[in-house]
Amino acid sequence: MDYDALVIGGGHAGIEAALALARLGYSTLLVTQSLDAIGRLSCNPSIGGLSKGNIVREIDALGGEMARLIDRVMIQFRILNLRRGPAVRAFRAQADKFSYSRLAKETLEHQKDLHLFQDTVTDLLLDSSGRVVQGVKTERGNTISARTVVLTTGTFMEGMIFIGEHTAPSGRLGEPAALGLGTALRNLGFTVGRLKTGTPARAAGSSLDYDKMEEQPGDPEILAFSFSGAPVNRPNLPCYITYTNEETHRIIRENIHRSPLYGGKIVGKGPRYCPSIEDKVVRFPDRPRHQVFVEPEGLGTDEVYLNGISSSLPEEVQEKFLRTLPGLENLRIFRPGYAVEYDYLDPRQLFPSLETKRIKGLYVAGQTNGTSGYEEAACQGLMAGINAALALNGREPLILSRAEAYTGVLIDDLVTLGTEEPYRMFTSRAEYRLCLRHDTADLRLTGKGYRVGLQSSEAMERMEKKRQSLEEIRELLKQRTLKEGEIPGLPEGQGGKKLEVLLRNPQVSIADVLPLLPEVRDFSREILECVETDIKYEGYIKRQEQQVRRFEKLESIRIPPDFDYQPLEGMSAESKEKLRLIRPVSLGQASRISGVRSSDIAVLMVLLARRPK
């Protein structure tokens, strides 16, 4: 074999997969169409956001790279939803997108056991049975053998871009599509569909009038995504907000027939939660305006990103309606918005390890599985890389459950339910989100990363020190009793209460009690706020932990991969077909398959209980 592992694609999934495999000691080749496009932030210049920020911290806890990259290149930091519950708070950072890509490439180049190669993969090499992957073929005629292959093609597999009447085979504007691989996968029997995504115009920042917009500054304190303890000393640039208006909408309505989205050229389904401006105007005709975020793309460029107004209308129409927005009257467009349609694999063809059911040793991650977003892609790439490495070593795969990580929720949703539109992670998708807070990702997952081999003993020591600190502060709060009048502003009658009890009051914060506990003043803000959250939401957390224990009982009932559903009596034909198609690994996963009845799950539970252990 030329290599132990081969990764196709240099996007966010490919980066994590390649690094994981190489760091676990396997000779790895990353093949991508352009080495200059590695780690490119194709759409918005930011990392994190609601639930996405949690995923980035999970990647870091497991030993991945994304958090470390954004910590070194961010140009604004914010904690979202600070006024809401802790389950929906998240880190978000604007990135210097060109520095992000450069740093990602440098990280790959300097990684031991990892090689980079510029070419386009067009086909897979299989063994004589046609069931085991053995490498790839490329556009230039190269044949490269490998024991395992991770497929992370993003939007490039048979990609096609649309700008008004203009179409071209591309995965991004100015970058050619990866042609051939989608057809090869169809020929191998995979179910391959089409999805659509889009991006807005980029403008010259010097052509905008920021005085007509609302300034959106970052938080004064910049926190790190990574749990490594490395300090973050970065600039903190503002973003700006402007709005569309009736004139904007009129121009779009008058030209809607020129949109490839409404002219029938695009067949792939787009992201429901990130619609184009054409979609917004058509679907919400009574809304007088839509918000647009003006975001800098980096320190060394004049280019700005117009977030919230993606479009595939003709270029002259885009320029016309954009100039109706306050502050954009004299805008100069650097790059027009466009739509891109591409091939993706139905993710129900994958095991929870992200290995395909049809071909052993072939793993699929990222937008190729129907997801949308850098963070969703990166966590899949990391898990695919980890599980490919574990398989090479003859070890069982690492499967994160829905109760352990947003990453587990995402992968379980994909392989169990599939998707017919670009899948985006939301906090609402996670039933146990109070247990999946961004500040507890290290406590949940560092040990798993260590056992796999991606986390160091130093990372384990940091995590254990944090756990001990949380227990120490909690114990002090349990022991210390408040004296009447010690905290100014509290109503009378609070004296005699333990500080832990006092903190359960929504009107009392950890900052209020800090003057009474000089022993904890040196602890970090994140640790203090973690203790506060645990105390204030203790009842909810305990209730959710009970739900997790019930969930884990179903997950612990494993279903053999060769289990034959056909002869089962008392089970509907529809359920048998769904179970045969998905091949769930546990009774819990079987219970989440759309169309499988609860009565059929009861039948399956009884039959599995009768099987010999």
Side-chain angles (χ1 to χ4, degrees), residues 227-501:
F227 294 102
S228 66
V232 180
N233 183 18
R234 294 291 302 165
N236 206 350
L237 303 187
C239 296
Y240 294 86
I241 300 173
T242 186
Y243 296 89
T244 64
N245 50 58
E246 287 296 344
E247 178 62 11
T248 318
H249 302 172
R250 182 191 67 78
I251 294 170
I252 292 169
R253 281 193 295 267
E254 286 182 356
N255 290 276
I256 200 71
H257 62 285
R258 301 184 66 189
S259 167
L261 203 61
Y262 287 88
K265 287 184 178 180
I266 296 176
V267 297
K269 199 167 184 180
R272 188 190 334 169
Y273 306 103
C274 189
S276 66
I277 189 61
E278 295 98 291
D279 268 339
K280 290 178 182 178
V281 169
V282 171
R283 286 163 54 186
F284 309 107
D286 298 330
R287 187 170 293 182
R289 67 178 191 172
H290 296 281
Q291 197 172 53
V292 178
F293 295 91
V294 180
E295 302 172 344
E297 296 225 317
L299 299 176
T301 179
D302 188 36
E303 203 163 1
V304 296
Y305 181 86
L306 304 177
N307 194 345
I309 199 163
S310 67
S311 175
S312 57
L313 282 164
E315 295 184 49
E316 69 272 16
V317 177
Q318 291 187 41
E319 183 176 36
K320 188 175 181 181
F321 75 66
L322 283 170
R323 286 185 170 180
T324 65
L325 275 65
L328 274 64
E329 294 88 350
N330 299 308
L331 131 148
R332 296 194 312 275
I333 291 178
F334 277 159
R335 314 178 202 219
Y338 60 90
V340 58
E341 189 180 56
Y342 56 95
D343 277 356
Y344 83 107
L345 266 69
D346 183 338
R348 292 176 297 178
Q349 298 168 103
L350 308 177
F351 291 113
S353 64
L354 297 180
E355 184 180 27
T356 66
K357 298 170 183 175
R358 184 172 293 275
I359 296 178
K360 186 174 178 58
L362 176 63
Y363 294 77
V364 187
Q367 285 184 276
T368 318
N369 284 341
T371 57
S372 171
Y374 314 135
E375 303 82 1
E376 289 91 337
C379 72
Q380 290 177 70
L382 177 61
M383 296 307 298
I386 287 172
N387 286 323
L390 291 173
L392 289 173
N393 196 28
R395 294 169 62 186
E396 289 296 310
L398 173 63
I399 309 297
L400 300 178
S401 81
R402 302 180 70 88
E404 290 177 310
Y406 274 97
T407 300
V409 174
L410 182 150
I411 292 174
D412 183 68
D413 279 353
L414 290 176
V415 302
T416 305
L417 305 174
T419 186
E420 295 180 352
E421 63 179 336
Y423 177 102
R424 182 179 177 184
M425 178 50 71
F426 293 101
T427 51
S428 58
R429 296 190 191 272
E431 309 94 308
Y432 313 112
R433 51 190 170 273
L434 257 180
C435 298
L436 306 181
R437 305 193 321 256
H438 72 86
D439 57 347
T440 63
D442 55 338
L443 302 175
R444 290 182 275 118
L445 300 175
T446 303
K448 293 181 183 292
Y450 180 73
R451 287 188 289 275
V452 165
L454 285 180
Q455 279 290 23
S456 64
S457 55
E458 290 79 13
M460 286 293 289
E461 289 171 8
R462 280 194 301 270
M463 185 270 292
E464 287 300 336
K465 184 178 179 181
K466 175 178 175 178
R467 195 189 301 278
Q468 292 167 11
S469 298
L470 294 172
E471 292 172 359
E472 180 183 337
I473 297 169
R474 189 74 183 260
E475 191 60 34
L476 288 168
L477 291 167
K478 284 179 181 178
Q479 293 173 0
R480 181 73 161 82
T481 303
L482 180 73
K483 297 176 183 176
E484 196 69 46
E486 267 192 304
I487 298 180
L490 281 184
E492 292 184 7
Q494 301 299 307
K497 286 185 178 180
K498 299 293 184 184
L499 294 185
E500 182 189 47
V501 174

Side-chain angles (χ1 to χ4, degrees), residues 18 23 34 52 99 111 117 138 145 197 207 230 242 298 321 399 425 434 453 458 460 472 546:
R23 287 169 176 171
S34 173
K52 293 169 176 279
S99 296
Q111 176 60 50
F117 187 63
T138 75
S145 61
T197 189
S207 70
T242 186
F321 75 66
I399 309 297
M425 178 50 71
L434 257 180
E458 290 79 13
M460 286 293 289
E472 180 183 337
Q546 291 173 350

